[in-house]
Amino acid sequence: MAIDIPIAYNTFIAITPSDTVAIGESTAGDGKKRAPRAVYVGGTGALVAVMADGTTATFSGIPAGTVLPIQPTRINATATTATLLLALYQV
């Protein structure tokens, strides 16, 4: 299965890990948050991602400067040690 990774992202928002608050931009029409196209990890560590279906995945040992091609609805604060997280969008 091919992964559609855009050449460039043209907007971003800082991610504050939370065990309850979703990340993402709010859509104009319904106010729901839109998942990012990818997540940038600026500081080395682990990241616990929550996907739209509620499943979680722990990414361990992520080096600084990594772009993860995942579309999480939330980054959990519990067990996330990676820092300087950005949600990346192509709009």
Side-chain angles (χ1 to χ4, degrees), residues 19-43:
D19 293 338
T20 58
V21 179
I23 60 172
E25 291 184 324
S26 292
T27 57
D30 60 12
K32 291 184 180 177
K33 296 199 174 190
R34 189 170 56 92
R37 300 280 294 162
V39 174
Y40 170 80
V41 179

Side-chain angles (χ1 to χ4, degrees), residues 1-85:
M1 180 167 103
I3 298 175
D4 178 25
I5 299 176
I7 300 294
Y9 303 99
N10 56 10
T11 190
F12 64 90
I13 59 171
I15 296 173
T16 300
S18 170
D19 293 338
T20 58
V21 179
I23 60 172
E25 291 184 324
S26 292
T27 57
D30 60 12
K32 291 184 180 177
K33 296 199 174 190
R34 189 170 56 92
R37 300 280 294 162
V39 174
Y40 170 80
V41 179
T44 302
L47 182 142
V48 180
V50 181
M51 304 309 281
D53 65 0
T55 59
T56 62
T58 300
F59 297 86
S60 299
I62 305 167
T66 298
V67 174
L68 295 173
I70 59 173
Q71 296 181 301
T73 57
R74 188 175 75 232
I75 302 298
N76 280 347
T78 302
T80 292
T81 59
T83 59
L84 305 171
L85 304 174

